[in-house]
Amino acid sequence: MPPAESTNPSNFIKTIIEEDIKNNKNDGRVHTRFPPEPNGYLHIGHAKSICLNFGVAAEYNGLCNLRFDDTNPSKEEAEYVESIIEDVKWLGFDWGDRLFYASDYFEKLYQYAVQLIKEGKAYVCDLSADEVREYRGTLTEPGKESPYRNRSVEENLDLFERMRAGEFKDGSRTLRAKLDMASGNINMRDPVIYRIQRAAHHRTGDKWCIYPMYDFTHCISDSIEGITHSLCTLEFEDHRPLYDWFLDQLNIFHPMQIEFARLNLSHTVMSKRKLLKLVEDGYVRGWDDPRMPTISGLRRRGYTPESIRNFCDRIGVAKADSMVDMALLEYCIREDLNKSAPRVMAVLRPLKVVITNYPEDQVEELDAINNPEDLSAGTRKLPFSKVIYIEQDDFREDPPKKYFRLAPGREVRLRYAYFITCVDVIKDDKTGEVTELHCTYDPATRGGDAPDGRKVKATLHWVSAGQSLDAEVRLYNHLFIKADPEEDKDNTDFKFSLNPDSLETLTSCRIEPGLAEAEPGRRYQFERLGYFCVDPDSTDKKIVFNRTVTLRDTWAKIQKSQNTSSPS
RNA sequence: UGGGGCGUCGCCAAGCGGUAAGGCACCGGGUUCUGGUCCCGGCAUUCGGGGGUUCGAAUCCUCCCGCCCCAGCCA
């Protein structure tokens, strides 16, 4: 279990739990569960639920189970089970020996259904799906009772047994709970609790051709596992009366269902349906595309489990629908990586610089600090020579106000190296594009400090041309342009809301030689640029980096305000 | 027009009858060999609105307004 986080805000669920403990409800026991359906990959919204369920259990000396809600074989796959297990583990949580599947309870569930039938509380209904819908009524009109509602217990028992035996066609009959067709709560209008469906189940194969529905399964599964607090999202609030009804009728252990608001994050989508569409229609490269809000996408992007846990702590838990700003997630990963990521020199868009007064074939080694936030990370040697690369952005022939970096005649510092002064600008005759800079260096400033105490306004990152390595760098931006892509409800076409610039691939980046052996998953800070991590696409020939997040960029902010205020 | 929820700073969110925590964002200012980090300061006389109860209300009552969810043999 991860260590307790520093922030520990209160929320209404903890209030309820603390009250229950005080009253010795459940003998003061706290037992939760995270119950994913294995029909897709986990995303940051699930992380909220995972952190809540496992977190609250840990905080009150309780337990949290991992349980797959696998009652619909036509949508569920073993591949998803694998990825979910991996993701929850990666996030840092441990369910001990309590990995369960609702399908483990199929036989028990069947017996409970039989019990309901015997007590006259459930019946086999021969209505078709369409007819069931018609009989259900609408939001404002009550439903009609099924003509099969008053079959005898014996007939129901016989029919249900034959449903299980496979005597009837898919969809031809259902088992329904006998509640109230006039209820204002549509979930109470004789909900279906078993359907006939001949589909291979990822665990039980073809053993069953009838499968229990969520409402019937979930409460009983919770009860079997001795769950004390069953936490779920707001849309199940309407289902709570049903949850309670089943447990009351069956007279078995009764967990308490508590609903909280699901997470919405700005500039992305969270519904499994939409994420699946992004993957299937090729808008992204897969479930683990670094632009996806999936756990696997965030992992590949370079997010740490710690940063995601901190994020989940900070967003809180409440009942109000809300949308959290992506900026908070970004803050959390910067906070973590600032402390832990080794600094490294990388030039994304190289501009050649020749140090005219530097000896032709000399290469010297300069000391660089690996992490100013953690001196125990030590130092390393950086090669320096006559020809180096700096960032194109770090030179302006005609510098605007407040631009501190290199310009004709201006002196700046090369980090851990020397002060250089720009003396000449070489341009392409045809395009006018700056192709090369000639600079002089001051040998007395070796290491980056001037003995005469003179200051420079900027420090640039750089890389030695001869000693640097080639790399590909993938820059990511918000997947969606608008903060709330679902704002326009009728516009379901991603084409209109996706950010065309969510991925920019740079192929001629130069990185310091020490990165030659960097392994996939390794995270670095590229000085002055941001945090990057090595992508699994890397090969012996070419290292590929993903930009996790940029550094905070005050200069970009200044430029933006200059651009918006200058046209006057 | 049925049922269930929710409305506290730009975004989250504490608060539970005693006079509006905190975080992000934003805006200053200081430190700095990363325009990063760090530090310091600013940022709701007011809690969707109107009435009422009370010495006292974001908290209690009441009416109104707005937003979300539900008509799968999905979860």
Side-chain angles (χ1 to χ4, degrees), chain A residues 271-282:
Chain A
S271 84
K272 281 188 191 175
R273 210 198 92 249
K274 285 181 176 152
L275 293 175
L276 182 64
K277 186 174 163 60
L278 285 168
V279 172
E280 285 185 334
D281 295 357

Side-chain angles (χ1 to χ4, degrees), chain A residues 266-384:
Chain A
S266 72
H267 305 285
T268 190
V269 292
M270 216 66 97
S271 84
K272 281 188 191 175
R273 210 198 92 249
K274 285 181 176 152
L275 293 175
L276 182 64
K277 186 174 163 60
L278 285 168
V279 172
E280 285 185 334
D281 295 357
Y283 292 110
V284 296
R285 296 206 261 221
W287 286 100
D288 68 343
D289 186 296
R291 291 168 291 182
M292 292 281 274
T294 50
I295 303 300
S296 50
L298 291 166
R299 177 166 58 228
R300 188 167 180 180
R301 174 89 169 239
Y303 274 80
T304 58
E306 169 82 2
S307 69
I308 295 174
R309 276 187 257 123
N310 275 141
F311 171 75
C312 291
D313 263 1
R314 278 190 243 247
I315 56 177
V317 178
K319 296 199 69 162
D321 293 311
S322 63
M323 173 166 299
V324 175
D325 196 328
M326 181 73 89
L328 181 60
L329 219 208
E330 295 179 342
Y331 172 85
C332 290
I333 188 58
R334 285 191 189 106
E335 178 188 47
D336 190 12
L337 261 18
N338 175 51
K339 289 179 296 186
S340 61
R343 272 57 171 173
V344 115
M345 298 282 204
V347 176
L348 267 29
R349 296 177 178 87
L351 172 59
K352 185 176 173 185
V353 175
V354 178
I355 317 287
T356 54
N357 59 338
Y358 194 86
E360 195 70 39
D361 296 315
Q362 180 173 311
V363 177
E364 58 183 318
E365 305 247 274
L366 300 165
D367 291 310
I369 294 167
N370 288 332
N371 186 350
E373 300 293 317
D374 175 18
L375 268 3
S376 72
T379 63
R380 68 188 184 287
K381 298 287 188 187
L382 245 30
F384 184 84

Side-chain angles (χ1 to χ4, degrees), chain A residues 179-195:
Chain A
L179 278 94
D180 175 12
M181 290 307 291
S183 172
N185 182 344
I186 289 180
N187 296 301
M188 303 298 269
R189 320 239 260 230
D190 287 11
V192 169
I193 58 181
Y194 265 92
R195 76 281 219 189

Side-chain angles (χ1 to χ4, degrees), chain A residues 529-549:
Chain A
L529 296 173
Y531 297 97
F532 295 74
C533 82
V534 183
D535 190 85
D537 282 352
S538 299
T539 63
D540 295 340
K541 292 197 171 61
K542 186 182 66 182
I543 301 188
V544 178
F545 285 93
N546 293 314
R547 182 173 70 195
T548 308
V549 68

Side-chain angles (χ1 to χ4, degrees), chain A residues 7-8 13 38 53 81 86 144 178 194 224 247 250 272 281 300 320 328 352 355 360 372 447 500-501 525 543 556 562:
Chain A
T7 53
N8 191 16
I13 292 177
N53 278 292
V81 171
E86 183 190 358
K144 289 183 301 194
K178 194 187 284 189
Y194 265 92
I224 290 171
L247 297 177
L250 264 10
K272 281 188 191 175
D281 295 357
R300 188 167 180 180
L328 181 60
K352 185 176 173 185
I355 317 287
E360 195 70 39
D501 303 316
Q525 182 195 103
I543 301 188
Q562 283 178 346

Side-chain angles (χ1 to χ4, degrees), chain A residues 7-164:
Chain A
T7 53
N8 191 16
S10 164
N11 66 52
F12 77 100
I13 292 177
K14 289 186 186 180
T15 305
I16 292 171
I17 292 176
E18 281 168 23
E19 188 65 19
D20 288 345
I21 291 172
K22 203 170 72 188
N23 296 328
N24 207 239
K25 186 174 176 183
N26 304 126
D27 303 316
R29 208 164 49 81
V30 174
H31 203 329
T32 57
R33 100 270 90 115
F34 173 61
E37 181 189 12
N39 69 342
Y41 281 65
L42 258 29
H43 54 63
I44 184 81
H46 294 109
K48 174 180 180 178
S49 175
I50 292 166
C51 290
L52 208 215
N53 278 292
F54 280 93
V56 117
E59 191 170 340
Y60 299 103
N61 284 307
L63 297 169
C64 180
N65 300 352
L66 174 59
R67 180 173 76 229
F68 287 98
D69 226 326
D70 56 349
T71 57
N72 185 0
S74 63
K75 289 188 175 176
E76 296 151 7
E77 294 171 27
E79 176 201 347
Y80 295 127
V81 171
E82 301 305 314
S83 77
I84 290 169
I85 287 176
E86 183 190 358
D87 288 348
V88 178
K89 231 184 249 173
W90 179 79
L91 277 172
F93 297 103
D94 182 9
W95 50 87
D97 58 357
R98 299 176 316 284
L99 169 60
F100 301 124
Y101 295 82
S103 54
D104 292 342
Y105 312 134
F106 279 173
E107 186 59 43
K108 281 184 187 169
L109 258 0
Y110 179 84
Q111 295 306 332
Y112 280 126
V114 167
Q115 184 183 332
L116 285 184
I117 293 172
K118 284 180 177 165
E119 292 172 10
K121 293 163 182 167
Y123 61 97
V124 172
C125 179
D126 300 359
L127 253 25
S128 69
D130 284 343
E131 289 165 331
V132 168
R133 189 178 314 121
E134 280 168 33
Y135 275 71
R136 186 157 32 226
T138 69
L139 292 179
T140 51
E141 304 156 27
K144 289 183 301 194
E145 294 189 349
S146 164
Y148 306 97
R149 199 173 200 258
N150 295 311
R151 289 217 251 229
S152 69
V153 167
E154 292 66 34
E155 189 182 5
N156 282 139
L157 247 18
D158 173 62
L159 253 13
F160 188 48
E161 202 176 309
R162 289 163 61 195
M163 278 171 64
R164 174 179 185 168

